[in-house]
Amino acid sequence: MRARLTGLWRHPDFLKLWAGDTISLFGLHATVLALPLTAVALGATAFQMGLLAAAQTAPALLLGLFAGVWVDRLRRRPILIAANLARAALLGSVPLAALLGVLHLAQLYAVAFLAGVGAIFFVVAYQAYLPAIVPREHLVDGNSKLRMSEATAQIAGPSIGGALVQLLSAPLALAAGAFASLGSAITLALIRAPEPAPGPAGGRAGVRREIGEGVRFVLGHPLVRPVLAGTTTSALFYHMIVGVYILYLTRDLGVSAGLLGAIVATGGPLAILGAAVTGRLVRRWGMGATLIGALVLSGAANLLVPLAAGPLAAVVPLLVAWRVLDSLAAAVYNVVSFTIVQAAPPPGLQGRVQATMRVGTWGAMAVGSLLGGALGQVIGLRPALAIAAAGMLLAPLWLVRSPVRGLRGGPEPAERGAPAAGAAQ
């Protein structure tokens, strides 16, 4: 008997969006190791590795708030397609330069920075585009399917990427990301759902005033503000680790690219599990306690990175435990924190609130990557990793000392211009 397809399975434009997102995510996760490993192959120092990681998120500091305004002013699908095409061209330039024998660290910095510009516009536009093509009653189902693709790509992508680096070299492995971005752009171009036209230019406030509305809402809301502070603190110290851990594992511990990809991939199944059990955790413990617990677990898990030393037989179990526990904690934290931030603002502020949050978190990532690289250069990689992991345990304090601690359900949406009280009980 033939199974009947229902809901979004019968929505061709959502399926194209889902396919485009899945292709893009697999390309992203397949190349997540290739860019830093290319820098390692070029002889990058600890500080240079940190600078490369910072270049990928620094554009959020410069353009993130403007991205929120312009995404509200323009149609979203062309932004998504343009960002994919730009990423394809940028990643494709690296293997081309390597084949010509002219690849230099300066090119990697430029690729990382410009890809980061595209990424901030893509992320903000993507969050605003889904409601334009999917009925409101199917948004939860749509987001669930998209998250499943992300977790699946997290499992398979790094293993594929590590194998490509092993077989082809790190620069040539980046070609996989270029082709994936091109495929994603083509798939998104096939979407036929009409997108609502942006509001008339005459009805818009000035850019600075529109940015200010989003920033004031985030900083004035009793729940969103501490979530931003906790997320930013965690991102700062976590990206001190991200900036140098690949150099530490490959140079100091002798972990191969293939093994590194397999270790990173072990976090995928727990990310799926974390997303699946978050609702149950929230029902039992409430949003606030779940959020705080996830941050504590993440900080504790990252202490395992500097503890990893000695022969591979001792190193690998610690690194696998790190990835598994941190991925579980990150999935739970993201589901709950995204829910709070999405539920709090009125509809007209969604884009700018999301952009403000991205500026805070991605800006912290950029600063953290630079700090990690600088500390690794001055005091050594392992001590820098230990300081960063310990710093992550400061993040939950923002939530413990705020109304988030007693939050059970989600906040009620605010009226335009007035932050709402949370649903703490």
Side-chain angles (χ1 to χ4, degrees):
M1 199 174 170
R2 242 175 122 180
R4 235 179 122 189
L5 298 179
T6 60
L8 292 179
W9 290 105
R10 299 186 65 184
H11 194 302
D13 285 321
F14 171 76
L15 294 178
K16 291 168 190 171
L17 178 66
W18 189 14
D21 181 59
T22 302
I23 294 168
S24 179
L25 285 168
F26 266 85
L28 174 65
H29 284 281
T31 57
V32 70
L33 301 176
L35 194 64
L37 285 173
T38 300
V40 172
L42 291 174
T45 65
F47 179 74
Q48 288 169 330
M49 293 293 289
L51 188 61
L52 180 66
Q56 298 177 66
T57 50
L61 281 173
L62 302 176
L63 299 169
L65 295 175
F66 293 96
V69 173
W70 286 105
V71 164
D72 282 340
R73 291 184 172 191
L74 302 172
R75 295 184 190 272
R76 283 70 184 260
R77 188 168 67 105
I79 296 175
L80 298 174
I81 294 171
N84 266 318
L85 292 176
R87 177 177 168 81
L90 289 164
L91 292 179
S93 73
V94 177
L96 179 61
L99 290 172
L100 294 174
V102 295
L103 184 61
H104 191 274
L105 275 173
Q107 181 176 345
L108 297 187
Y109 295 144
V111 167
F113 182 85
L114 293 174
V117 173
I120 186 64
F121 277 89
F122 185 94
V123 169
V124 176
Y126 193 87
Q127 291 173 341
Y129 185 52
L130 184 63
I133 65 169
V134 171
R136 185 177 181 84
E137 63 269 21
H138 291 307
L139 281 177
V140 173
D141 186 26
N143 278 306
S144 175
K145 286 178 168 58
L146 294 169
R147 295 279 176 197
M148 186 65 69
S149 290
E150 184 174 5
T152 304
Q154 186 181 346
I155 297 170
S159 294
I160 296 170
L164 288 174
V165 170
Q166 203 90 0
L167 291 171
L168 302 175
S169 81
L172 294 181
L174 286 167
F179 283 116
S181 296
L182 182 61
S184 178
I186 292 171
T187 305
L188 292 170
L190 296 175
I191 294 175
R192 290 292 173 260
E195 186 178 352
R204 297 172 185 158
V207 171
R208 290 178 62 184
R209 183 176 171 186
E210 291 182 55
I211 289 173
E213 282 185 315
V215 172
R216 282 193 298 273
F217 182 90
V218 170
L219 298 182
H221 197 282
L223 300 176
V224 177
R225 182 180 63 248
V227 168
L228 173 63
T231 304
T232 300
T233 302
S234 179
L236 173 73
F237 289 106
Y238 181 72
H239 276 261
M240 289 175 64
I241 296 172
V242 168
V244 295
Y245 88 93
I246 289 178
L247 187 62
Y248 175 64
L249 299 187
T250 56
R251 190 186 71 184
D252 293 8
L253 301 184
V255 177
S256 68
L259 179 57
L260 178 58
I263 290 170
V264 172
T266 59
L270 269 293
I272 295 174
L273 177 63
V277 303
T278 299
R280 189 175 302 175
L281 294 174
V282 168
R283 285 191 294 272
R284 180 165 184 180
W285 302 108
M287 280 194 167
T290 302
L291 207 59
I292 292 167
L295 274 185
V296 172
L297 178 60
S298 181
N302 279 276
L303 288 170
L304 296 174
V305 181
L307 290 176
L312 285 179
V315 164
V316 171
L318 285 175
L319 294 178
V320 169
W322 160 58
R323 286 299 299 168
V324 163
L325 295 175
D326 188 55
S327 296
L328 174 65
V332 173
Y333 184 84
N334 286 339
V335 170
V336 179
S337 63
F338 288 172
T339 299
I340 292 172
V341 175
Q342 289 170 347
L349 276 177
Q350 279 285 351
R352 280 164 284 166
V353 167
Q354 294 295 337
T356 303
M357 297 293 291
R358 290 288 173 176
V359 168
T361 54
W362 287 23
M365 291 175 187
V367 174
S369 297
L370 286 173
L371 286 176
L375 275 178
Q377 189 82 15
V378 173
I379 66 175
L381 296 174
R382 197 176 180 201
L385 290 168
I387 291 171
M392 287 188 69
L393 292 171
L394 298 174
L397 297 179
W398 293 102
L399 306 181
V400 170
R401 297 172 59 87
S402 78
V404 172
R405 182 178 62 179
L407 188 66
R408 296 292 303 177
E412 294 297 324
E415 295 295 329
R416 185 67 177 261
Q425 296 177 8

